[in-house]
Amino acid sequence: MTNPRSSDEIGGTCRTAAAAKLAARLLVCLGGFCLLAAFTPGGYSRVAVSGLATIAFAALLVLVRRQRESAAPVERPEEAPKPALLDPLTGLANERYLSMFLQQEISRSERSGQPMTVLLIDIDDFDRLNGTAGTDAGDQCITALGTSLRRMIRDYDLVARYKDDEFVVVLPEASATAGSETARRLHCALSGHILPSRARFSVGVATYPTHGTSVDDLLSSAHHALNRAKFSGKNTVRSCHELAKAS
């Protein structure tokens, strides 16, 4: 997911461009002055002209360095994950990138006052699936679920493989109600239908800031809701928001 450039990055680019323009103007002025002084009778001494030439050459070096800096790509943590941050089986973001992304989105939500919802998805009876159908079937199920989740969410949402057969879906600017609706839409479309071996899954839903203001707290709340879904018979969705209303 690529986001608009920050004000710091834009300001840095502007400062680099201004410095390059200044160096270019200085280089032109000094170069012209050196030529004029060199061919004007009774002009400046050779020492003075040599000194000015040295200054002009230094300005040229500044110009070249600034141009190289402005041409270099700016690496932002909000850009698409690099290979070290990808899960090798699914090609999705891994746990490390998930943590970075969640921290960024929490900071963004804190500034904007917008909510953010997290879905924690766990394949039901995955150990039994591995035991009866084999680990290859388990890997196929994980890959199919990750691909399907990625296809069914918004471009700026994130799907990450969290742990073994668990996935996390991050929904920026999604309220508890909207997040629960998305979770049920995904569950209804995928669980027990298109996955290999008709595998099913359960979902826990938690929303920032009501159910956590840190990465660990938010994921812990989603785990709590997921456990309630498992204890309710599996193959279902439970949200912290709905659990709080029912208590």
Side-chain angles (χ1 to χ4, degrees):
M1 181 180 72
T2 303
N3 293 295
R5 297 188 299 172
S6 66
S7 58
D8 290 341
E9 182 186 337
I10 295 174
T13 302
C14 293
R15 288 191 295 270
T16 297
K21 289 181 180 178
L22 179 60
R25 290 172 182 172
L26 179 61
L27 178 62
V28 171
C29 291
L30 288 176
F33 184 80
C34 289
L35 290 174
L36 180 63
F39 292 99
T40 299
Y44 289 96
S45 65
R46 290 185 177 182
V47 174
V49 172
S50 176
L52 290 174
T54 301
I55 296 175
F57 182 71
L60 176 61
L61 292 180
V62 171
L63 176 61
V64 172
R65 185 172 66 250
R66 291 296 183 183
Q67 288 179 332
R68 288 178 177 176
E69 290 176 353
S70 62
V74 178
E75 182 177 340
R76 296 190 298 272
E78 296 168 300
E79 292 180 345
K82 298 182 182 300
L85 301 175
L86 295 175
D87 172 61
L89 177 62
T90 63
L92 299 173
N94 61 17
E95 184 178 356
R96 180 184 172 196
Y97 184 80
L98 170 66
S99 180
M100 295 166 53
F101 184 85
L102 272 176
Q103 187 58 61
Q104 290 173 347
E105 291 304 317
I106 287 174
S107 298
R108 194 194 307 274
S109 294
E110 185 177 9
R111 294 192 301 268
S112 66
Q114 295 292 323
M116 174 188 62
T117 295
V118 170
L119 315 181
L120 180 57
I121 299 172
D122 181 85
I123 300 174
D124 295 329
D125 302 316
F126 185 72
D127 289 340
R128 186 171 65 183
L129 173 64
N130 271 337
T132 57
T135 56
D136 287 344
D139 288 347
Q140 291 174 7
C141 186
I142 289 173
T143 302
L145 179 55
T147 301
S148 298
L149 290 172
R150 177 66 265 177
R151 188 177 63 247
M152 295 184 64
I153 60 173
R154 302 170 298 185
D155 290 340
Y156 53 88
D157 296 334
L158 176 75
V159 179
R161 187 181 179 194
Y162 184 42
K163 295 181 184 296
D164 298 328
D165 59 324
E166 290 184 340
F167 293 85
V168 170
V169 179
V170 183
L171 306 173
E173 300 183 6
S175 65
T177 300
S180 296
E181 291 174 351
T182 298
R184 289 191 166 85
R185 175 175 61 84
L186 296 173
H187 183 265
C188 182
L190 301 177
S191 186
H193 299 299
I194 70 169
L195 299 183
S197 304
R198 299 182 64 84
R200 296 174 170 82
F201 59 84
S202 300
V203 188
V205 184
T207 301
Y208 171 91
T210 307
H211 310 125
T213 56
S214 69
V215 173
D216 290 341
D217 289 346
L218 199 57
L219 291 175
S220 178
S221 294
H223 263 294
H224 172 71
L226 177 63
N227 289 335
R228 293 294 295 269
K230 296 287 188 179
F231 293 150
S232 298
K234 305 177 183 178
N235 192 32
T236 189
V237 177
R238 291 289 183 271
S239 75
C240 292
H241 176 68
E242 294 166 349
L243 291 173
K245 289 172 60 176
S247 60

